[in-house]
Amino acid sequence: MTHVAGKHFLQIPGPTNVPDRVLRAIDRPTIDHRGPDFAVLARQALENLKTIFRTEGAVVIYPASGTGAWEAALVNTLSAGDQVLMFETGHFATLWRERAGRLGLEVAFVPGDWRTGVDPALVEAKLAEDRGRAIKAVLMVHNETSTGVVSPVAAVRQAIDRVGHPALLMVDTISSLGSIDYRHDEWGADVTVAGSQKGLMLPPGLSFHAISAKALAAAKTSKLPKSYWAWEPMLSSNKTGFFPYTPATNLLYGLNEAAAMLLEEGLPQVFARHDRHAEATRRAVRAWGLEILAANPREYSSALTAIVMPEGFDADHLRATILERFNMSLGQGLGKVKGKVFRIGHLGDFNDLMLAGTLSGVEMGLAIDKVPFRRGGVSAALDYLAGNH
């Protein structure tokens, strides 16, 4: 194989670049997961997660991907035949819907255009129609990774409460936790789902729940089969710093180091950094004369930007060109937008110079592929970054 000089730019919306501090933490010797040192490690990880989720309630760590945490949220709280209300905000909302259907749940799936988020007024209207209270949960994706659209969690909870509906609120924060402001307790989520490989700056392999008292109560009557995913044995073991089965020990070292980095910077500063890089990216896109997939500025994601290709040009061809010429990976279009968009991830361990390099690679790739665009996107982004420290 031909050696490729320089650093690979991993600018997909996750897995993200893993900081050296986290890699070094993971590289520590494995310890006995039944011993006292592990109990200290695990308790610290659980407390750190509470801080990042902004919750005083229960949290759970699974050795699994976010998909596993999707399933765990459903099987711990619901029974076969229960109805859930979901919204087609993009590819990952669609996948979560499919998971729910396979588990024997009845899914009321509200169609969407993949350019806008969940409308709280529509949530309110759908629940007001449910006079028999058949809907047991509302499921939503906070930051839709496939589209770069953010949905308003707090406003959805307010909509549920306005009609006095008892439905649980479950929220996917897999690509927003640690990147975009999120408040499990304050915003009234019942189950928040997250993963390790995006804003938390870890490799894939851990997923998480933050769980409300209402969700814990629902778990007592849930009838869906569960064993590996069951909360009760997990929470019981966690009280003493242990797990009911073998945990991903070394990833917990990494989790604590990543949490330390986030808390050293300060969560408000982390979110402001992501906001700033996202705005710089959007200014580059507009200067290029290209279109941002997210239709409403109030729903723009600070974790990634999805960019629409001009008619007749293939986003995947552009991505391949940029990978071959500049050793940079960009996110592909998924599902309904495959080949139509490419996605720039600007989340996790990321700074101004990394963004400048990313946008430079995109601008050069557009020129090589003869995509109709205006030069100057990189300059527009740099001007913004220089003027907004």
Side-chain angles (χ1 to χ4, degrees):
M1 294 178 64
T2 302
H3 171 69
V4 179
K7 175 182 172 60
H8 175 68
F9 270 61
L10 181 67
Q11 298 316 138
I12 62 176
T16 60
N17 300 286
V18 179
D20 287 344
R21 278 180 60 176
V22 173
L23 290 172
R24 297 292 77 78
I26 294 171
D27 196 32
R28 295 175 65 176
T30 301
I31 61 174
D32 176 11
H33 64 286
R34 309 278 184 210
D37 289 345
F38 179 81
V40 174
L41 170 69
R43 286 196 189 102
Q44 185 62 60
L46 292 164
E47 286 303 313
N48 285 338
L49 272 181
K50 289 185 178 185
T51 301
I52 294 168
F53 273 119
R54 311 273 188 90
T55 184
E56 298 295 326
V59 294
V60 164
I61 302 173
Y62 291 110
S65 69
T67 303
W70 276 348
E71 181 165 322
L74 300 172
V75 298
N76 275 290
T77 56
L78 300 169
S79 301
D82 281 353
Q83 187 175 133
V84 296
L85 177 64
M86 303 186 70
F87 298 83
E88 188 188 9
T89 52
H91 184 66
F92 291 98
T94 303
L95 290 179
W96 200 5
R97 169 219 184 171
E98 292 173 358
R99 180 76 42 177
R102 290 193 199 107
L103 291 170
L105 298 170
E106 182 183 334
V107 183
F109 197 54
V110 180
D113 59 6
W114 289 47
R115 303 195 67 172
T116 53
V118 177
D119 180 356
L122 189 53
V123 175
E124 186 171 351
K126 293 290 183 182
L127 293 180
E129 294 170 0
D130 180 33
R131 294 182 178 87
R133 301 302 193 243
I135 295 171
K136 302 304 180 184
V138 176
L139 278 60
M140 64 182 292
V141 176
H142 180 218
N143 183 76
E144 176 53 73
T145 320
S146 65
T147 64
V149 172
V150 175
S151 291
V153 176
V156 169
R157 164 49 70 190
Q158 290 162 10
I160 296 170
D161 292 345
R162 273 195 298 273
V163 294
H165 201 289
L168 297 168
L169 176 59
M170 302 190 193
V171 185
D172 170 341
T173 65
I174 290 171
S175 63
S176 57
L177 192 72
S179 303
I180 300 171
D181 189 17
Y182 184 78
R183 309 175 190 189
H184 174 83
D185 286 359
E186 182 181 334
W187 291 355
D190 290 303
V191 184
T192 299
V193 174
S196 59
Q197 73 274 23
K198 298 183 187 280
L200 297 184
M201 305 179 292
L202 288 158
L206 295 179
S207 60
F208 317 103
H209 280 173
I211 310 165
S212 75
K214 181 179 175 180
L216 288 174
K220 295 183 184 302
T221 58
S222 166
K223 297 295 192 298
L224 280 173
K226 55 195 139 300
S227 175
Y228 183 86
W229 305 118
W231 285 339
E232 193 280 326
M234 182 73 82
L235 293 172
S236 178
S237 294
N238 285 171
K239 288 176 183 177
T240 55
F242 298 104
F243 286 71
Y245 41 73
T246 306
T249 309
N250 284 54
L251 285 179
L252 294 180
Y253 282 128
L255 175 60
N256 283 345
E257 191 64 32
M261 293 176 68
L262 291 172
L263 298 177
E264 286 166 16
E265 185 176 356
L267 289 177
Q269 289 73 33
V270 170
F271 303 146
R273 171 168 56 83
H274 282 77
D275 293 344
R276 183 168 167 271
H277 288 149
E279 178 58 26
T281 301
R282 293 189 293 266
R283 290 185 181 223
V285 175
R286 294 189 190 102
W288 289 328
L290 300 179
E291 185 180 4
I292 297 166
L293 181 62
N296 299 326
R298 68 179 181 277
E299 295 179 335
Y300 284 158
S301 171
S302 289
L304 72 134
T305 301
I307 302 162
V308 181
M309 288 290 283
E311 191 69 33
F313 290 84
D314 184 4
D316 289 339
H317 190 278
L318 174 67
R319 290 175 52 255
T321 296
I322 291 171
L323 177 61
E324 179 182 357
R325 293 292 294 271
F326 308 117
N327 196 22
M328 181 166 75
S329 296
L330 297 172
Q332 69 182 101
L334 299 169
K336 291 183 178 180
V337 294
K338 180 173 174 55
K340 299 177 182 178
V341 307
F342 64 95
R343 297 173 295 148
I344 298 174
H346 35 72
L347 72 162
D349 188 40
F350 196 66
N351 63 25
D352 289 7
L353 291 182
M354 294 167 75
L355 179 60
T358 299
L359 297 176
S360 295
V362 174
E363 187 159 320
M364 290 188 289
L366 291 168
I368 292 168
D369 261 15
K370 296 182 170 52
V371 177
F373 82 106
R374 298 189 300 267
R375 294 185 182 273
V378 175
S379 297
L382 296 183
D383 288 346
Y384 175 78
L385 293 174
N388 293 271
H389 298 289

